[in-house]
Coordinates of all heavy atoms in Angstrom, one line a residue:
M1 N 0.9 -1.2 0.0 CA 0.0 0.0 0.0 C 0.9 1.2 0.0 O 1.9 1.3 0.7 CB -0.9 0.0 1.2 CG -2.0 -1.0 1.2 SD -3.3 -0.6 -0.1 CE -4.1 0.8 0.8
S2 N 0.5 2.2 -0.8 CA 1.2 3.5 -0.8 C 0.7 4.3 0.4 O -0.4 4.0 1.0 CB 1.1 4.2 -2.1 OG -0.3 4.4 -2.4
E3 N 1.4 5.3 0.7 CA 1.0 6.2 1.8 C -0.4 6.8 1.5 O -0.7 7.3 0.4 CB 2.0 7.3 1.9 CG 1.9 8.2 3.1 CD 3.0 9.2 3.2 OE1 4.1 8.9 2.8 OE2 2.7 10.3 3.7
A4 N -1.3 6.7 2.5 CA -2.6 7.2 2.3 C -2.6 8.7 2.2 O -1.9 9.4 2.9 CB -3.5 6.8 3.5
P5 N -3.4 9.2 1.3 CA -3.4 10.7 1.1 C -4.3 11.3 2.2 O -5.1 10.6 2.8 CB -4.1 10.9 -0.3 CG -4.9 9.7 -0.4 CD -4.2 8.5 0.3
T6 N -4.2 12.6 2.3 CA -5.1 13.3 3.2 C -5.9 14.3 2.4 O -5.5 14.7 1.3 CB -4.3 14.1 4.3 OG1 -3.3 14.9 3.6 CG2 -3.5 13.1 5.2
C7 N -7.0 14.7 2.9 CA -7.9 15.6 2.2 C -7.2 17.0 2.1 O -6.7 17.5 3.1 CB -9.2 15.8 3.0 SG -10.3 17.0 2.3
P8 N -7.1 17.5 0.9 CA -6.5 18.8 0.8 C -7.3 20.0 1.4 O -6.7 21.1 1.5 CB -6.3 19.0 -0.8 CG -7.4 18.1 -1.3 CD -7.6 17.0 -0.4
I9 N -8.5 19.7 1.7 CA -9.3 20.8 2.3 C -9.3 20.8 3.8 O -8.9 21.8 4.4 CB -10.8 20.7 1.8 CG1 -10.9 20.7 0.3 CG2 -11.6 21.8 2.4 CD1 -10.3 22.0 -0.4
C10 N -9.6 19.6 4.4 CA -9.7 19.6 5.8 C -8.6 18.7 6.4 O -8.6 18.6 7.7 CB -11.1 19.1 6.3 SG -11.4 17.4 5.9
T11 N -7.8 18.2 5.6 CA -6.6 17.4 6.0 C -6.9 16.1 6.8 O -6.0 15.5 7.4 CB -5.6 18.2 6.9 OG1 -6.1 18.5 8.1 CG2 -5.2 19.5 6.2
M12 N -8.2 15.6 6.7 CA -8.5 14.4 7.3 C -7.9 13.2 6.5 O -7.9 13.2 5.3 CB -10.0 14.2 7.4 CG -10.7 15.0 8.4 SD -10.2 14.6 10.1 CE -11.0 13.0 10.3
P13 N -7.3 12.2 7.2 CA -6.7 11.1 6.5 C -7.8 10.1 6.1 O -9.0 10.2 6.5 CB -5.7 10.5 7.5 CG -6.4 10.8 8.8 CD -7.1 12.2 8.6
E14 N -7.3 9.1 5.3 CA -8.2 7.9 4.9 C -9.4 8.4 4.2 O -10.6 8.1 4.6 CB -8.6 7.1 6.2 CG -7.3 6.5 6.8 CD -7.7 5.7 8.1 OE1 -8.9 5.6 8.4 OE2 -6.8 5.2 8.7
P15 N -9.3 9.0 3.0 CA -10.4 9.3 2.2 C -11.0 8.1 1.6 O -10.4 7.0 1.5 CB -9.8 10.2 1.1 CG -8.4 9.7 1.0 CD -8.0 9.3 2.4
L16 N -12.3 8.2 1.1 CA -12.9 7.1 0.4 C -12.4 7.1 -1.0 O -12.0 8.1 -1.6 CB -14.4 7.3 0.4 CG -15.1 7.6 1.7 CD1 -16.5 8.1 1.5 CD2 -15.0 6.4 2.6
I17 N -12.3 5.9 -1.6 CA -11.9 5.7 -3.0 C -13.1 6.0 -3.9 O -14.2 5.4 -3.8 CB -11.4 4.3 -3.3 CG1 -10.3 4.0 -2.3 CG2 -10.9 4.3 -4.7 CD1 -9.1 4.8 -2.3
A18 N -13.0 7.0 -4.8 CA -14.1 7.4 -5.7 C -13.6 7.0 -7.1 O -12.5 6.5 -7.3 CB -14.4 8.8 -5.6
D19 N -14.6 7.1 -8.0 CA -14.3 6.8 -9.4 C -13.0 7.4 -10.0 O -12.3 6.8 -10.7 CB -15.5 7.1 -10.3 CG -16.6 6.2 -10.1 OD1 -16.4 5.1 -9.5 OD2 -17.7 6.5 -10.5
D20 N -12.9 8.7 -9.7 CA -11.8 9.5 -10.3 C -10.7 9.8 -9.3 O -9.8 10.6 -9.6 CB -12.4 10.8 -10.8 CG -13.0 10.7 -12.2 OD1 -12.4 9.9 -13.0 OD2 -14.0 11.3 -12.4
G21 N -10.7 9.2 -8.1 CA -9.7 9.5 -7.2 C -10.1 9.3 -5.8 O -10.4 8.1 -5.4
F22 N -10.3 10.3 -5.0 CA -10.7 10.2 -3.6 C -11.8 11.1 -3.3 O -12.0 12.1 -3.9 CB -9.5 10.5 -2.7 CG -8.3 9.6 -3.0 CD1 -7.2 10.0 -3.7 CD2 -8.3 8.3 -2.5 CE1 -6.2 9.1 -4.0 CE2 -7.3 7.4 -2.7 CZ -6.2 7.8 -3.5
E23 N -12.5 10.7 -2.3 CA -13.6 11.5 -1.7 C -13.4 11.6 -0.2 O -13.3 10.5 0.4 CB -15.0 11.0 -2.1 CG -16.1 11.8 -1.5 CD -17.5 11.3 -2.0 OE1 -17.5 10.4 -2.8 OE2 -18.5 11.7 -1.4
C24 N -13.4 12.8 0.3 CA -13.3 12.9 1.8 C -14.6 12.6 2.5 O -15.6 13.2 2.1 CB -12.8 14.3 2.1 SG -12.7 14.6 3.9
G25 N -14.5 11.7 3.4 CA -15.8 11.3 4.2 C -16.2 12.4 5.2 O -17.3 12.3 5.7
T26 N -15.3 13.3 5.4 CA -15.5 14.3 6.5 C -16.2 15.6 5.9 O -17.2 16.0 6.3 CB -14.2 14.7 7.2 OG1 -13.7 13.5 7.8 CG2 -14.5 15.7 8.3
C27 N -15.6 16.1 4.8 CA -16.1 17.3 4.2 C -16.7 17.1 2.9 O -17.3 18.0 2.3 CB -15.0 18.4 4.2 SG -13.8 18.1 2.9
G28 N -16.6 15.9 2.3 CA -17.2 15.7 1.0 C -16.4 16.1 -0.2 O -16.8 15.9 -1.3
H29 N -15.2 16.7 0.0 CA -14.4 17.1 -1.1 C -13.9 15.9 -1.9 O -13.5 14.9 -1.4 CB -13.2 17.9 -0.5 CG -12.2 18.4 -1.6 ND1 -12.6 19.3 -2.5 CD2 -11.0 18.0 -1.9 CE1 -11.6 19.5 -3.4 NE2 -10.6 18.7 -3.0
E30 N -14.0 16.1 -3.2 CA -13.5 15.1 -4.1 C -12.3 15.6 -4.9 O -12.2 16.7 -5.3 CB -14.5 14.6 -5.1 CG -15.7 14.0 -4.5 CD -16.7 13.5 -5.5 OE1 -16.4 13.1 -6.6 OE2 -17.9 13.7 -5.2
W31 N -11.3 14.7 -5.1 CA -10.1 15.2 -5.8 C -9.5 14.0 -6.6 O -9.7 12.9 -6.3 CB -9.1 15.9 -5.0 CG -8.3 15.0 -4.0 CD1 -7.1 14.5 -4.1 CD2 -8.8 14.6 -2.7 NE1 -6.8 13.7 -3.0 CE2 -7.8 13.8 -2.1 CE3 -9.9 14.8 -1.9 CZ2 -7.9 13.2 -0.9 CZ3 -10.1 14.2 -0.7 CH2 -9.0 13.4 -0.2
I32 N -8.7 14.4 -7.6 CA -8.1 13.4 -8.5 C -6.8 12.9 -7.8 O -6.0 13.7 -7.3 CB -7.8 14.0 -9.8 CG1 -9.1 14.6 -10.5 CG2 -7.1 13.0 -10.8 CD1 -10.1 13.5 -10.8
D33 N -6.6 11.6 -7.9 CA -5.4 11.1 -7.4 C -4.3 11.2 -8.5 O -4.3 10.5 -9.5 CB -5.6 9.6 -7.1 CG -4.3 8.9 -6.7 OD1 -3.3 9.6 -6.2 OD2 -4.2 7.7 -6.8
E34 N -3.4 12.1 -8.2 CA -2.3 12.3 -9.2 C -1.0 11.6 -8.8 O 0.0 11.6 -9.5 CB -2.0 13.8 -9.3 CG -3.1 14.7 -9.8 CD -3.4 14.4 -11.2 OE1 -2.7 13.6 -11.9 OE2 -4.4 15.0 -11.7
A35 N -1.1 10.8 -7.8 CA 0.1 10.1 -7.3 C 0.5 9.0 -8.4 O -0.4 8.4 -8.9 CB -0.1 9.4 -6.0
T36 N 1.7 8.9 -8.7 CA 2.2 7.9 -9.6 C 3.0 6.8 -9.0 O 3.4 5.9 -9.6 CB 3.0 8.5 -10.8 OG1 4.0 9.2 -10.2 CG2 2.1 9.5 -11.6
D37 N 3.2 6.9 -7.7 CA 4.0 5.9 -7.0 C 3.4 4.5 -7.1 O 2.2 4.3 -7.0 CB 4.1 6.2 -5.5 CG 5.0 7.4 -5.3 OD1 5.7 7.8 -6.3 OD2 5.0 8.0 -4.2
G38 N 4.2 3.5 -7.4 CA 3.8 2.1 -7.4 C 3.1 1.7 -8.7 O 2.6 0.6 -8.8
I39 N 3.1 2.5 -9.7 CA 2.5 2.1 -10.9 C 3.6 1.5 -11.8 O 4.6 2.2 -12.1 CB 1.9 3.3 -11.6 CG1 0.7 3.9 -10.8 CG2 1.4 2.9 -13.0 CD1 0.0 5.1 -11.4
A40 N 3.4 0.3 -12.2 CA 4.4 -0.3 -13.1 C 4.2 0.2 -14.5 O 3.2 0.8 -14.8 CB 4.1 -1.8 -13.1
D41 N 5.2 0.0 -15.3 CA 5.1 0.4 -16.7 C 4.0 -0.3 -17.3 O 3.8 -1.5 -17.1 CB 6.4 0.1 -17.5 CG 7.5 1.1 -17.1 OD1 7.2 2.1 -16.5 OD2 8.7 0.7 -17.4
V42 N 3.2 0.3 -18.2 CA 2.1 -0.3 -18.8 C 2.3 -0.3 -20.3 O 2.6 0.8 -20.9 CB 0.8 0.5 -18.5 CG1 -0.4 -0.1 -19.3 CG2 0.5 0.5 -17.0
F43 N 2.2 -1.4 -20.9 CA 2.5 -1.6 -22.3 C 1.2 -2.0 -23.1 O 0.4 -2.8 -22.6 CB 3.5 -2.6 -22.6 CG 4.9 -2.3 -22.0 CD1 5.2 -2.8 -20.7 CD2 5.8 -1.5 -22.6 CE1 6.4 -2.5 -20.1 CE2 7.0 -1.2 -22.1 CZ 7.3 -1.7 -20.8
D44 N 1.0 -1.5 -24.3 CA -0.1 -1.8 -25.1 C 0.1 -3.2 -25.7 O 1.1 -3.8 -25.5 CB -0.5 -0.7 -26.1 CG 0.5 -0.7 -27.3 OD1 1.5 -1.5 -27.3 OD2 0.2 0.1 -28.2
V45 N -0.8 -3.6 -26.6 CA -0.8 -5.0 -27.2 C 0.5 -5.1 -28.0 O 0.9 -6.2 -28.3 CB -2.1 -5.3 -27.9 CG1 -2.2 -4.4 -29.2 CG2 -2.2 -6.7 -28.3
N46 N 1.0 -4.0 -28.6 CA 2.2 -4.1 -29.4 C 3.5 -3.9 -28.6 O 4.5 -3.8 -29.2 CB 2.0 -3.0 -30.5 CG 0.9 -3.3 -31.5 OD1 0.7 -4.5 -31.8 ND2 0.2 -2.3 -31.8
G47 N 3.3 -3.8 -27.3 CA 4.5 -3.6 -26.5 C 5.0 -2.2 -26.4 O 6.2 -1.9 -26.0
K48 N 4.2 -1.2 -26.8 CA 4.6 0.2 -26.7 C 4.3 0.7 -25.3 O 3.2 0.4 -24.8 CB 3.9 1.0 -27.7 CG 4.4 0.8 -29.1 CD 3.8 1.8 -30.1 CE 4.3 1.6 -31.5 NZ 3.6 2.4 -32.5
L49 N 5.2 1.4 -24.8 CA 5.0 2.0 -23.4 C 3.9 3.1 -23.5 O 3.9 4.0 -24.3 CB 6.3 2.6 -22.9 CG 6.3 3.1 -21.5 CD1 6.0 2.0 -20.5 CD2 7.6 3.8 -21.2
L50 N 3.0 2.9 -22.6 CA 1.9 4.0 -22.5 C 2.2 4.9 -21.4 O 2.8 4.6 -20.3 CB 0.5 3.3 -22.2 CG 0.1 2.3 -23.3 CD1 -1.2 1.6 -22.8 CD2 -0.2 3.0 -24.6
A51 N 1.8 6.2 -21.6 CA 2.1 7.2 -20.6 C 0.8 7.9 -20.3 O -0.1 8.0 -21.2 CB 3.1 8.2 -21.1
P52 N 0.6 8.5 -19.2 CA -0.6 9.3 -18.9 C -0.8 10.4 -19.9 O 0.2 11.0 -20.3 CB -0.3 9.9 -17.5 CG 0.7 9.0 -16.9 CD 1.6 8.5 -18.0
G53 N -2.0 10.6 -20.4 CA -2.3 11.6 -21.4 C -2.3 11.0 -22.8 O -2.7 11.7 -23.7
D54 N -1.8 9.8 -23.0 CA -1.9 9.1 -24.3 C -3.3 8.9 -24.7 O -4.2 8.7 -23.9 CB -1.1 7.8 -24.3 CG 0.4 8.0 -24.4 OD1 0.8 9.1 -24.7 OD2 1.1 7.0 -24.2
D55 N -3.5 8.8 -26.0 CA -4.8 8.3 -26.6 C -4.6 6.8 -27.0 O -3.6 6.5 -27.5 CB -5.2 9.1 -27.8 CG -5.4 10.5 -27.5 OD1 -5.6 10.9 -26.3 OD2 -5.5 11.3 -28.4
V56 N -5.6 6.0 -26.7 CA -5.5 4.6 -27.1 C -6.8 4.2 -27.8 O -7.8 4.9 -27.7 CB -5.3 3.7 -25.9 CG1 -4.0 4.0 -25.1 CG2 -6.5 3.7 -24.9
V57 N -6.7 3.1 -28.6 CA -7.8 2.6 -29.3 C -8.1 1.2 -28.8 O -7.2 0.4 -28.7 CB -7.6 2.6 -30.8 CG1 -8.7 1.9 -31.6 CG2 -7.3 4.0 -31.3
I58 N -9.4 0.9 -28.5 CA -9.8 -0.4 -28.1 C -9.7 -1.4 -29.2 O -10.2 -1.2 -30.3 CB -11.2 -0.4 -27.6 CG1 -11.4 0.7 -26.5 CG2 -11.7 -1.8 -27.1 CD1 -10.6 0.5 -25.2
I59 N -9.1 -2.6 -29.0 CA -8.9 -3.6 -30.0 C -9.8 -4.8 -29.8 O -9.8 -5.7 -30.7 CB -7.4 -4.0 -30.1 CG1 -6.9 -4.6 -28.8 CG2 -6.6 -2.9 -30.6 CD1 -5.7 -5.5 -29.0
K60 N -10.5 -4.9 -28.7 CA -11.4 -6.0 -28.5 C -12.7 -5.4 -27.8 O -12.6 -4.6 -27.0 CB -10.8 -7.1 -27.6 CG -9.7 -7.9 -28.2 CD -9.2 -8.9 -27.2 CE -8.0 -9.7 -27.8 NZ -7.4 -10.5 -26.8
D61 N -13.8 -6.0 -28.2 CA -15.0 -5.6 -27.5 C -14.9 -5.8 -26.0 O -14.4 -6.9 -25.6 CB -16.2 -6.4 -28.0 CG -16.7 -5.8 -29.3 OD1 -16.5 -4.7 -29.7 OD2 -17.4 -6.6 -30.0
L62 N -15.3 -4.8 -25.2 CA -15.2 -5.0 -23.8 C -16.6 -4.9 -23.2 O -17.4 -4.2 -23.6 CB -14.4 -3.8 -23.2 CG -12.9 -3.7 -23.7 CD1 -12.3 -2.5 -23.0 CD2 -12.1 -4.9 -23.4
K63 N -16.8 -5.8 -22.2 CA -18.0 -5.7 -21.5 C -17.8 -5.0 -20.2 O -16.7 -5.1 -19.6 CB -18.5 -7.1 -21.1 CG -19.1 -7.9 -22.3 CD -19.5 -9.3 -22.0 CE -20.1 -10.0 -23.2 NZ -20.4 -11.4 -22.9
L64 N -18.8 -4.2 -19.8 CA -18.6 -3.5 -18.5 C -19.5 -4.2 -17.5 O -20.6 -4.5 -17.8 CB -19.1 -2.1 -18.7 CG -18.3 -1.2 -19.7 CD1 -18.9 0.2 -19.8 CD2 -16.9 -1.2 -19.3
D65 N -18.9 -4.5 -16.4 CA -19.5 -5.3 -15.3 C -20.9 -4.6 -14.9 O -20.9 -3.5 -14.5 CB -18.7 -5.4 -14.1 CG -17.5 -6.3 -14.4 OD1 -17.5 -7.0 -15.4 OD2 -16.5 -6.2 -13.6
G66 N -21.9 -5.4 -15.0 CA -23.2 -5.0 -14.5 C -23.9 -3.9 -15.2 O -24.8 -3.3 -14.7
K67 N -23.3 -3.5 -16.3 CA -24.0 -2.4 -17.0 C -24.3 -2.8 -18.4 O -23.6 -3.6 -19.0 CB -23.0 -1.2 -17.1 CG -22.7 -0.6 -15.7 CD -21.7 0.5 -15.8 CE -21.4 1.1 -14.5 NZ -20.2 2.0 -14.5
S68 N -25.4 -2.2 -19.0 CA -25.7 -2.5 -20.3 C -24.7 -1.9 -21.3 O -24.1 -0.9 -20.9 CB -27.1 -2.0 -20.6 OG -27.1 -0.6 -20.5
G69 N -24.6 -2.5 -22.4 CA -23.6 -2.0 -23.4 C -22.2 -2.4 -23.0 O -21.9 -3.2 -22.1
G70 N -21.3 -1.8 -23.7 CA -19.9 -2.1 -23.5 C -19.1 -1.1 -24.3 O -19.6 -0.1 -24.7
I71 N -17.9 -1.5 -24.5 CA -17.0 -0.7 -25.4 C -16.7 -1.4 -26.6 O -16.2 -2.5 -26.6 CB -15.7 -0.3 -24.6 CG1 -16.1 0.3 -23.2 CG2 -14.9 0.7 -25.4 CD1 -14.9 0.6 -22.4
K72 N -16.9 -0.8 -27.8 CA -16.7 -1.5 -29.0 C -15.3 -1.3 -29.5 O -14.6 -0.4 -29.2 CB -17.7 -0.8 -30.1 CG -19.1 -1.2 -29.9 CD -19.5 -2.3 -30.8 CE -21.0 -2.5 -30.9 NZ -21.7 -2.6 -29.6
V73 N -14.9 -2.3 -30.3 CA -13.6 -2.3 -31.0 C -13.5 -0.9 -31.8 O -14.5 -0.5 -32.4 CB -13.5 -3.4 -32.0 CG1 -12.3 -3.2 -32.9 CG2 -13.4 -4.7 -31.3
G74 N -12.4 -0.3 -31.7 CA -12.2 0.9 -32.5 C -12.5 2.2 -31.7 O -12.2 3.3 -32.2
T75 N -13.1 2.0 -30.5 CA -13.4 3.2 -29.7 C -12.1 3.8 -29.2 O -11.2 3.1 -28.8 CB -14.2 2.7 -28.4 OG1 -15.4 2.1 -28.9 CG2 -14.5 4.0 -27.6
K76 N -12.0 5.1 -29.4 CA -10.8 5.8 -29.0 C -11.0 6.4 -27.6 O -12.1 6.9 -27.2 CB -10.5 7.0 -29.9 CG -9.2 7.6 -29.8 CD -8.9 8.6 -30.9 CE -7.4 9.1 -30.9 NZ -7.1 10.0 -32.0
V77 N -10.0 6.1 -26.7 CA -10.1 6.6 -25.4 C -9.0 7.7 -25.3 O -7.8 7.4 -25.4 CB -9.9 5.5 -24.3 CG1 -10.0 6.0 -22.9 CG2 -10.9 4.4 -24.6
K78 N -9.4 8.9 -25.0 CA -8.4 10.0 -25.0 C -7.9 10.3 -23.7 O -8.6 10.2 -22.7 CB -9.1 11.3 -25.6 CG -9.4 11.2 -27.1 CD -9.9 12.5 -27.6 CE -10.1 12.4 -29.1 NZ -10.6 13.7 -29.7
S79 N -6.6 10.7 -23.7 CA -6.0 11.2 -22.4 C -6.2 10.3 -21.3 O -6.8 10.6 -20.2 CB -6.6 12.6 -22.1 OG -5.8 13.2 -21.2
I80 N -5.6 9.1 -21.4 CA -5.7 8.1 -20.4 C -5.0 8.4 -19.1 O -4.1 9.3 -19.2 CB -5.2 6.7 -20.9 CG1 -3.8 6.8 -21.3 CG2 -6.1 6.2 -22.0 CD1 -3.1 5.4 -21.5
R81 N -5.3 7.8 -18.0 CA -4.6 7.8 -16.8 C -4.1 6.4 -16.5 O -4.8 5.5 -16.9 CB -5.4 8.4 -15.7 CG -5.8 9.9 -15.9 CD -6.7 10.3 -14.7 NE -6.0 10.1 -13.5 CZ -6.5 9.6 -12.4 NH1 -7.8 9.3 -12.4 NH2 -5.9 9.5 -11.3
L82 N -3.0 6.3 -15.8 CA -2.5 5.0 -15.4 C -2.6 4.9 -13.9 O -2.3 5.7 -13.2 CB -1.1 4.9 -15.8 CG -0.8 5.0 -17.4 CD1 0.6 4.9 -17.7 CD2 -1.6 4.0 -18.1
I83 N -3.2 3.7 -13.5 CA -3.4 3.5 -12.1 C -2.9 2.1 -11.7 O -2.7 1.2 -12.6 CB -4.9 3.6 -11.7 CG1 -5.7 2.5 -12.5 CG2 -5.4 5.0 -12.0 CD1 -7.1 2.5 -12.1
P84 N -2.6 1.8 -10.4 CA -2.2 0.5 -10.1 C -3.3 -0.5 -10.2 O -4.5 -0.1 -10.1 CB -1.8 0.7 -8.6 CG -1.7 2.1 -8.3 CD -2.6 2.8 -9.3
G85 N -3.0 -1.8 -10.4 CA -4.0 -2.8 -10.4 C -4.0 -3.6 -11.7 O -3.2 -3.4 -12.6
D86 N -5.0 -4.5 -11.8 CA -5.1 -5.4 -12.9 C -5.6 -4.6 -14.2 O -5.4 -5.1 -15.3 CB -6.1 -6.5 -12.6 CG -5.6 -7.4 -11.6 OD1 -4.3 -7.5 -11.4 OD2 -6.4 -8.1 -10.9
H87 N -6.3 -3.5 -14.0 CA -6.9 -2.7 -15.1 C -6.2 -1.4 -15.0 O -6.8 -0.4 -14.5 CB -8.4 -2.6 -15.0 CG -9.1 -3.9 -15.1 ND1 -8.9 -5.0 -14.2 CD2 -10.0 -4.4 -16.0 CE1 -9.7 -6.0 -14.6 NE2 -10.4 -5.6 -15.7
P88 N -5.0 -1.3 -15.5 CA -4.2 -0.1 -15.2 C -4.5 1.1 -16.1 O -4.0 2.2 -15.8 CB -2.7 -0.5 -15.6 CG -2.9 -1.6 -16.6 CD -4.2 -2.3 -16.3
I89 N -5.4 1.0 -17.1 CA -5.7 2.1 -17.9 C -7.1 2.7 -17.6 O -8.1 2.0 -17.6 CB -5.7 1.7 -19.4 CG1 -4.3 1.2 -19.8 CG2 -6.1 2.9 -20.3 CD1 -4.2 0.6 -21.2
Q90 N -7.1 3.9 -17.2 CA -8.3 4.6 -16.8 C -8.6 5.7 -17.9 O -7.7 6.5 -18.2 CB -8.3 5.2 -15.4 CG -9.6 5.8 -15.0 CD -9.5 6.4 -13.6 OE1 -9.0 7.5 -13.5 NE2 -9.9 5.7 -12.6
G91 N -9.8 5.6 -18.4 CA -10.2 6.7 -19.4 C -11.7 6.9 -19.3 O -12.4 6.2 -18.6
K92 N -12.1 7.8 -20.2 CA -13.6 8.1 -20.2 C -14.1 7.7 -21.6 O -13.5 8.1 -22.6 CB -13.8 9.6 -20.0 CG -13.6 9.9 -18.5 CD -14.6 11.0 -18.1 CE -14.6 11.1 -16.6 NZ -15.5 12.2 -16.1
V93 N -15.2 6.9 -21.6 CA -15.9 6.6 -22.8 C -17.3 7.0 -22.6 O -18.0 6.6 -21.7 CB -15.8 5.1 -23.0 CG1 -16.7 4.7 -24.2 CG2 -14.4 4.6 -23.2
D94 N -17.8 7.8 -23.5 CA -19.2 8.3 -23.4 C -19.5 8.9 -22.0 O -20.5 8.8 -21.5 CB -20.2 7.2 -23.7 CG -20.1 6.7 -25.1 OD1 -19.6 7.5 -26.0 OD2 -20.4 5.6 -25.4
G95 N -18.5 9.6 -21.5 CA -18.7 10.3 -20.2 C -18.6 9.4 -19.0 O -18.7 9.8 -17.9
R96 N -18.3 8.1 -19.3 CA -18.2 7.1 -18.2 C -16.7 6.8 -17.9 O -16.0 6.6 -18.9 CB -18.9 5.8 -18.5 CG -20.3 5.7 -18.0 CD -20.8 4.3 -18.2 NE -20.5 3.7 -19.4 CZ -21.2 2.8 -20.0 NH1 -22.4 2.4 -19.5 NH2 -20.9 2.2 -21.2
T97 N -16.4 6.8 -16.7 CA -15.0 6.4 -16.4 C -14.9 4.8 -16.4 O -15.7 4.1 -15.9 CB -14.6 6.8 -15.0 OG1 -14.7 8.3 -15.0 CG2 -13.2 6.4 -14.6
V98 N -13.9 4.4 -17.2 CA -13.8 2.9 -17.4 C -12.3 2.5 -17.1 O -11.4 3.3 -17.2 CB -14.1 2.5 -18.8 CG1 -15.6 2.7 -19.1 CG2 -13.3 3.2 -19.8
L99 N -12.2 1.3 -16.7 CA -10.8 0.7 -16.4 C -10.6 -0.4 -17.4 O -11.5 -1.2 -17.6 CB -10.8 0.2 -15.0 CG -11.0 1.2 -13.9 CD1 -11.0 0.5 -12.5 CD2 -9.9 2.3 -13.9
I100 N -9.5 -0.4 -18.0 CA -9.2 -1.3 -19.1 C -7.9 -2.0 -18.9 O -6.9 -1.5 -18.5 CB -9.1 -0.5 -20.5 CG1 -10.3 0.4 -20.6 CG2 -9.0 -1.4 -21.7 CD1 -10.2 1.5 -21.6
I101 N -7.9 -3.3 -19.3 CA -6.7 -4.1 -19.3 C -5.8 -3.7 -20.4 O -6.2 -3.4 -21.5 CB -7.1 -5.6 -19.4 CG1 -8.0 -6.0 -18.3 CG2 -5.8 -6.4 -19.5 CD1 -8.5 -7.4 -18.5
A102 N -4.5 -3.6 -20.2 CA -3.5 -3.0 -21.1 C -3.5 -3.8 -22.4 O -3.3 -3.1 -23.5 CB -2.2 -3.0 -20.5
D103 N -3.7 -5.1 -22.5 CA -3.6 -5.8 -23.7 C -4.9 -5.7 -24.6 O -5.0 -6.4 -25.6 CB -3.1 -7.2 -23.6 CG -4.1 -8.1 -22.8 OD1 -5.2 -7.6 -22.5 OD2 -3.7 -9.3 -22.6
K104 N -5.8 -4.9 -24.1 CA -7.0 -4.7 -24.9 C -7.0 -3.4 -25.7 O -7.9 -3.0 -26.3 CB -8.3 -4.7 -24.0 CG -8.5 -6.0 -23.3 CD -9.1 -7.0 -24.2 CE -9.7 -8.1 -23.4 NZ -8.8 -8.9 -22.6
V105 N -5.8 -2.7 -25.7 CA -5.7 -1.5 -26.4 C -4.4 -1.4 -27.2 O -3.5 -2.1 -26.9 CB -5.7 -0.3 -25.4 CG1 -6.9 -0.3 -24.5 CG2 -4.4 -0.2 -24.5
K106 N -4.4 -0.5 -28.1 CA -3.2 -0.1 -28.8 C -3.1 1.4 -28.8 O -4.1 2.1 -28.8 CB -3.1 -0.6 -30.2 CG -4.1 0.0 -31.1 CD -3.9 -0.6 -32.5 CE -4.9 0.1 -33.5 NZ -4.9 -0.5 -34.8
K107 N -1.8 1.9 -28.7 CA -1.6 3.3 -28.7 C -2.1 3.9 -30.0 O -1.9 3.4 -31.1 CB -0.1 3.6 -28.5 CG 0.2 5.0 -28.1 CD 1.7 5.0 -27.7 CE 2.1 6.5 -27.4 NZ 3.5 6.5 -26.8
A108 N -2.8 5.0 -29.9 CA -3.4 5.7 -31.0 C -2.4 6.5 -31.8 O -1.4 7.0 -31.2 CB -4.6 6.6 -30.6
Ligands
ZN201 ZN1 -12.1 16.8 3.7

């Protein structure tokens, strides 16, 4: 585990994990997690190194857990973020934040 962040507004530790970062359970402030510690290098299906802010293209249909629809092949995901975990690519598709496995994308 990396060091737990504190709320930038009220400085309370142990924020809740939200879709886009953290949410403070005390004052309700939400903020983006910009920490990059602990993130391994992420490579696309062709072995190219991905960096935050890159655009990627989906190469396989993806299903979204518990939600209707999914992400179609060829969908472009702009300005990705990289996060720790099994689904290291975070991006927005149709206004929804999605997490994607690295070998399901290629660098745009
Ligand atoms: Zn707070």
Side-chain angles (χ1 to χ4, degrees):
M1 288 291 286
S2 58
E3 191 175 326
T6 57
C7 176
I9 302 299
C10 69
T11 71
M12 286 295 290
E14 299 179 2
L16 307 171
I17 307 298
D19 286 347
D20 275 320
F22 299 101
E23 178 178 349
C24 178
T26 302
C27 71
H29 177 65
E30 294 181 42
W31 71 98
I32 303 296
D33 175 22
E34 298 291 356
T36 55
D37 289 346
I39 298 179
D41 287 345
V42 178
F43 298 94
D44 75 357
V45 69
N46 295 319
K48 287 187 179 171
L49 183 65
L50 298 174
D54 280 350
D55 296 345
V56 298
V57 175
I58 305 297
I59 60 162
K60 288 180 186 171
D61 282 338
L62 302 178
K63 288 180 179 172
L64 298 179
D65 290 342
K67 292 175 183 172
S68 61
I71 306 174
K72 289 260 192 311
V73 168
T75 301
K76 193 169 186 180
V77 182
K78 291 186 176 180
S79 194
I80 60 168
R81 296 177 55 225
L82 300 178
I83 61 174
D86 293 339
H87 297 61
I89 299 171
Q90 184 183 77
K92 287 213 166 180
V93 175
D94 296 334
R96 263 189 322 211
T97 299
V98 295
L99 300 176
I100 308 164
I101 300 172
D103 65 4
K104 297 286 198 296
V105 305
K106 66 179 181 183
K107 195 168 177 175

